[in-house]
Amino acid sequence: MPSRERGRALLKDSIETAYSFLHQKRNVYIHSTLDCQKDDIELAIGSYVDDMSQELYEAISDGRADFLRDHKRFGEDITQAVERLEKML
């Protein structure tokens, strides 16, 4: 498989993986009534995006360095991330 095709396949896999993970966490987050559970989800997502492909993070973050890392905006950010990833699928 040529390098460019392999890169696209890896990016597609990254998109699918990120979408699945963030979608599942967002669903728990928006329905949770437990602050500690929401905090745990924020930490898990923060760790995930630290290891995420930089190219993919930039594509979903719209240039915001604190995207999915800002406690005050987390609920809005995770919803936007899921929507953006879904469009990329």
Side-chain angles (χ1 to χ4, degrees), residues 30-57:
I30 64 175
H31 296 292
S32 179
T33 58
L34 303 172
D35 288 339
C36 63
Q37 185 177 40
K38 287 182 171 188
D39 289 344
D40 287 346
I41 290 170
E42 288 184 44
L43 288 172
I45 297 298
S47 178
Y48 183 83
V49 299
D50 286 346
D51 294 332
M52 175 186 278
S53 151
Q54 188 64 29
E55 180 183 358
L56 181 56
Y57 182 74

Side-chain angles (χ1 to χ4, degrees), residues 22-32 41 78 82:
L22 294 177
H23 184 267
Q24 186 266 341
K25 295 298 184 193
R26 183 202 55 142
N27 286 346
V28 174
Y29 184 87
I30 64 175
H31 296 292
S32 179
I41 290 170
I78 195 164
V82 170

Side-chain angles (χ1 to χ4, degrees), residues 18-31 38 40-46 48-49 52 60-61 64 66-86:
Y19 174 79
S20 296
F21 183 70
L22 294 177
H23 184 267
Q24 186 266 341
K25 295 298 184 193
R26 183 202 55 142
N27 286 346
V28 174
Y29 184 87
I30 64 175
H31 296 292
K38 287 182 171 188
D40 287 346
I41 290 170
E42 288 184 44
L43 288 172
I45 297 298
Y48 183 83
V49 299
M52 175 186 278
I60 65 170
S61 69
R64 277 193 36 234
D66 65 347
F67 187 72
L68 293 170
R69 294 180 174 108
D70 181 348
H71 177 72
K72 293 177 184 174
R73 293 185 52 141
F74 185 80
E76 178 184 339
D77 285 355
I78 195 164
T79 296
Q80 287 179 351
V82 170
E83 290 170 354
R84 290 172 182 165
L85 287 163
E86 187 171 14

